[in-house]
Amino acid sequence: QVQLVESGGGLVQAGGSLRLSCAASGRAFSSYSMGWFRQAPGKEREFVARISRNGGNTYYADSVKGRFTISRDNAKNTVYLQMNSLKPEDTAVYYCAARSDLRVSTVPSEYDYWGQGTQVTVSS
């Protein structure tokens, strides 16, 4: 089992940047692929980015490609989401999630563990 705690959210103006962190504790962090998801009010949780166990494989939603970067530091048991050129439509609660299956995924229901979320608000 793994516990996840997100941090780094906040209020930022459009065009600004934020870096989210997700610290993991528990079972070996490097045995999980990791994902970032977000949920805006009244909307379903949606995929943002995911990264493989060793960090060598990343994948992004079209809506954030070229603006967001996911990375991980297995020595620090942490996954990051660098968010640049933020837009008001990026406003949401951002969640990190861990998946123990060998295969990577963009489907929320296929992730095993979730953090509590961190609010990101982008003002216009």
Side-chain angles (χ1 to χ4, degrees), residues 51-109:
I51 189 166
S52 59
R53 296 177 177 189
N54 64 3
N57 185 312
T58 59
Y59 183 74
Y60 300 89
D62 287 343
S63 58
V64 306
K65 200 173 297 181
R67 300 188 297 123
F68 291 11
T69 302
I70 188 171
S71 62
R72 67 190 296 164
D73 186 337
N74 286 345
K76 295 183 178 179
N77 287 1
T78 302
V79 62
Y80 305 96
L81 186 68
Q82 177 67 45
M83 306 186 296
N84 299 328
S85 301
L86 282 161
K87 305 175 181 180
E89 51 263 45
D90 294 318
T91 295
V93 177
Y94 282 71
Y95 298 89
C96 71
R99 173 172 162 85
S100 58
D101 193 280
L102 183 63
R103 299 164 294 179
V104 293
S105 172
T106 64
V107 180
S109 62

Side-chain angles (χ1 to χ4, degrees), residues 39-54:
Q39 188 165 18
K43 295 187 176 181
E44 292 189 353
R45 192 166 299 189
E46 66 172 1
F47 167 76
V48 175
R50 60 103 172 125
I51 189 166
S52 59
R53 296 177 177 189
N54 64 3

